[in-house]
Amino acid sequence: MPERCISSECLNETGFGYTLSLISGKYKMTILYALMEFGVVRFNELKRYIGGISFKTLSITLKELEADQLVHREEYPQIPPKVEYSLTERGKSLIPILDGMCEWGEKNCIG
């Protein structure tokens, strides 16, 4: 097998690069983790759980995750409005990766 050369390859053309394009961002992994742990979650519950995230940033991030078909948004026609978020089947397929990160963190936590 010929030796690979970094100068002739591109990260964006790899499976790793594609996965990163979906989950990179300051809060995406946190949102995916919250939905993995708690199932169906409302907007304000996510906001409280994450802390430090603005309403606008949370809204934009959820829309991106929904556009990438990782998160499902369910809106109920009532007053006040009720919106719930959950992982799609595609989003659930990331659970082994999230679980692996949790296990690694538990084993390698310093302090």
Side-chain angles (χ1 to χ4, degrees):
M1 186 163 122
E3 190 173 319
R4 294 173 62 197
C5 179
I6 194 166
S7 63
S8 64
E9 298 200 18
C10 178
L11 178 65
N12 292 337
E13 296 171 1
T14 66
F16 181 78
Y18 177 72
T19 304
L20 271 183
S21 75
L22 297 179
I23 63 172
S24 65
K26 187 170 181 179
Y27 297 105
K28 285 185 178 181
M29 290 294 288
T30 305
I31 291 168
L32 293 170
Y33 172 78
L35 296 176
M36 176 187 82
E37 286 293 304
F38 302 105
V40 178
V41 180
R42 294 181 69 179
F43 185 92
N44 284 331
E45 292 172 328
L46 271 174
K47 170 102 174 59
R48 260 189 313 276
Y49 179 74
I50 296 170
I53 186 172
S54 70
F55 286 102
K56 182 179 179 180
T57 299
L58 179 56
S59 179
I60 289 168
T61 305
L62 285 165
K63 285 177 184 172
E64 290 172 358
L65 289 167
E66 185 181 7
D68 291 331
Q69 301 175 353
L70 298 174
V71 169
H72 172 73
R73 180 181 190 270
E74 186 71 37
E75 188 172 348
Y76 297 92
Q78 64 185 50
I79 298 176
K82 178 181 175 182
V83 179
E84 294 178 333
Y85 296 89
S86 59
L87 292 176
T88 62
E89 287 306 311
R90 187 173 193 216
K92 288 176 184 175
S93 70
L94 288 169
I95 288 176
I97 295 168
L98 296 169
D99 280 339
M101 292 176 69
C102 292
E103 289 172 21
W104 188 93
E106 289 167 7
K107 290 178 184 172
N108 292 280
C109 183
I110 298 172

